[in-house]
Amino acid sequence: MSVTDEKTLTKIFDENSAAHALNLARETLQIEADAILALKQRFAGEGSQHFTDALKLLLECKGRVVVSGMGKSGHIARKIAATLASTGTPALFVHPGEAAHGDLGMVTAQDAFVAISNSGETAELLDIVPLIKRMGAKMVAMTGKPGSTLAQLANVHLNVAVDKEACPLNLAPTASTTATLALGDALAVALLDARGFREEDFARSHPGGALGRRLLTHVRDVMRSGAAVPAVTGGLSLSAALMEISQKGMAMTAVVDDAFRPIGVFTDGDLRRMLEHTQDFSKLKIADVMHANPRTIGPDQLAADAAQIMEQFLINQLLVTDTDGKLVGALHIHDLTRAKVI
């Protein structure tokens, strides 16, 4: 863009008041909100059977849900496919133009094909739909024209027509794509509920995300174990216990019995509080100053559970014990932070 063009655009914007720009933005949001509300009413009325038919078709699919569309509808199709795949319905996006040049091999007779086109007359889709139907795949069409060719060819048609686009020229796909995306989300949510999809299932398909780390990371994955765990017996002197705390770098030590079961814990905080009222602790045993009955957690519990215990009891360390009550590890809040559990 030339400097002259930039100055012209600046002048044009300056001549339009901020109030006008805000009104246009609000009108756009209102038009798109109205489109979704109208869609809600449609599928609460005469369109309800179409929605449940589409839901049944997708639930009965033995293969994958293949979603396709051109242009802006293609972008929406990609998002719908991604949402389905992450919520328990195996799905993928196939570009209709590429499908006509080899990618149609991605579609099988066991798949369900979801074709998205506002006009219902997208040439690239119409070129491949007969081939898809011939191989035996079922088809759902999402269009804004119930009488369109695509709608007539589909096993189930979902009407996503809108009264008008948010574009002032009523040309650019805006309200129509918003409505289509919302309907795709509605299908995905209905499908995940029908499949009994749970939070844990969602985490398995999002292992790299925060939810995945929270639900898939177990205590044994992040705990310190073996020689890294600070532990002393109750008969040891406080001075020797302080050496263990210093060497292991966890700002605490577990106190264990002869069977290596934790009977107490002593932390840096306990030492600071003790110094306020104790002048001579050279003759003290660690058992004299430890906190008995320390908080523990099992190695197979979720790391998120450990974080919850630490938060609830305002502690920074947690001992890990096995089913026999023996000390097998220790957790510091920093371990959970490094693992991005919290």
Side-chain angles (χ1 to χ4, degrees):
M1 182 183 295
S2 69
V3 175
T4 302
D5 290 337
E6 290 179 356
K7 289 180 178 179
T8 301
L9 286 175
T10 302
K11 182 179 179 181
I12 291 172
F13 182 77
D14 288 344
E15 290 173 352
N16 287 283
S17 67
H20 174 74
L22 285 171
N23 285 335
L24 187 59
R26 294 190 190 102
E27 184 179 352
T28 297
L29 294 173
Q30 188 62 58
I31 291 171
E32 300 205 9
D34 290 343
I36 292 178
L37 288 175
L39 195 65
K40 175 186 175 184
Q41 294 302 318
R42 184 179 304 146
F43 287 98
E46 75 277 3
S48 59
Q49 187 61 52
H50 293 163
F51 185 88
T52 54
D53 287 346
L55 184 64
K56 183 179 179 183
L57 186 153
L58 297 178
L59 277 171
E60 293 176 348
C61 172
K62 302 300 182 185
R64 300 158 301 174
V65 176
V66 181
V67 193
S68 189
M70 281 294 294
K72 303 299 185 296
S73 292
H75 296 307
I76 298 301
R78 285 182 187 274
K79 167 58 170 63
I80 292 174
T83 300
L84 289 169
S86 69
T87 53
T89 299
L92 72 155
F93 169 79
V94 169
H95 191 287
E98 297 295 335
H101 295 276
D103 282 4
L104 196 59
M106 296 180 182
V107 187
T108 71
Q110 288 74 42
D111 296 335
F113 190 77
V114 178
I116 301 176
S117 167
N118 189 45
S119 69
E121 303 294 344
T122 300
E124 290 85 354
L125 281 172
L126 294 178
D127 286 344
I128 63 172
V129 163
L131 299 171
I132 291 169
K133 292 183 67 67
R134 190 178 304 161
M135 70 174 65
K138 300 293 185 181
M139 177 178 151
V140 175
M142 298 172 67
T143 83
K145 302 288 193 304
S148 64
T149 305
L150 205 57
Q152 298 304 310
L153 290 172
N155 297 95
V156 181
H157 175 249
L158 298 176
N159 183 5
V160 290
V162 298
D163 290 336
K164 62 178 179 177
E165 300 287 6
C167 166
L169 302 176
N170 199 32
L171 294 174
T174 45
S176 59
T177 49
T178 298
T180 304
L181 180 59
L183 184 57
D185 287 342
L187 276 173
V189 170
L191 283 166
L192 77 85
D193 182 72
R195 295 182 191 281
F197 193 77
R198 301 166 300 167
E199 194 177 47
E200 291 81 4
D201 300 314
F202 186 86
R204 290 189 188 96
S205 59
H206 297 74
L211 179 62
R213 287 189 294 272
R214 185 165 63 85
L215 293 179
L216 298 180
T217 303
H218 292 82
V219 169
R220 67 169 63 256
D221 299 325
V222 293
M223 72 181 191
R224 307 184 194 195
S225 59
V229 180
V232 297
T233 58
L236 207 64
S237 69
L238 175 59
S239 298
L242 292 178
M243 288 294 294
E244 179 75 356
I245 292 175
S246 177
Q247 290 172 1
K248 299 299 172 65
M250 281 198 68
M252 70 94 188
T253 185
V255 184
V256 298
D257 61 15
D258 293 338
F260 216 66
R261 291 186 295 261
I263 58 174
V265 67
F266 187 80
T267 70
D268 279 358
D270 294 328
L271 175 62
R272 287 192 295 272
R273 286 184 288 272
M274 191 185 73
L275 289 174
E276 293 177 0
H277 56 77
T278 303
Q279 298 299 321
D280 181 16
F281 54 86
S282 60
K283 297 181 181 180
L284 290 174
K285 302 294 186 184
I286 188 64
D288 299 330
V289 292
M290 71 180 186
H291 281 293
N293 303 314
R295 304 287 174 187
T296 63
I297 193 169
D300 294 322
Q301 287 185 249
L302 292 173
D305 292 336
Q308 191 275 330
I309 293 172
M310 290 183 184
E311 181 178 347
Q312 179 181 355
F313 295 103
L314 302 177
I315 56 179
N316 292 328
Q317 304 94 347
L318 196 58
L319 304 182
V320 184
T321 56
D322 63 14
T323 53
D324 295 325
K326 293 184 178 181
L327 184 69
V328 294
L331 271 177
H332 193 283
I333 195 168
H334 292 162
D335 300 326
L336 300 177
T337 302
R338 280 193 293 270
K340 298 183 179 179
V341 173
I342 55 176

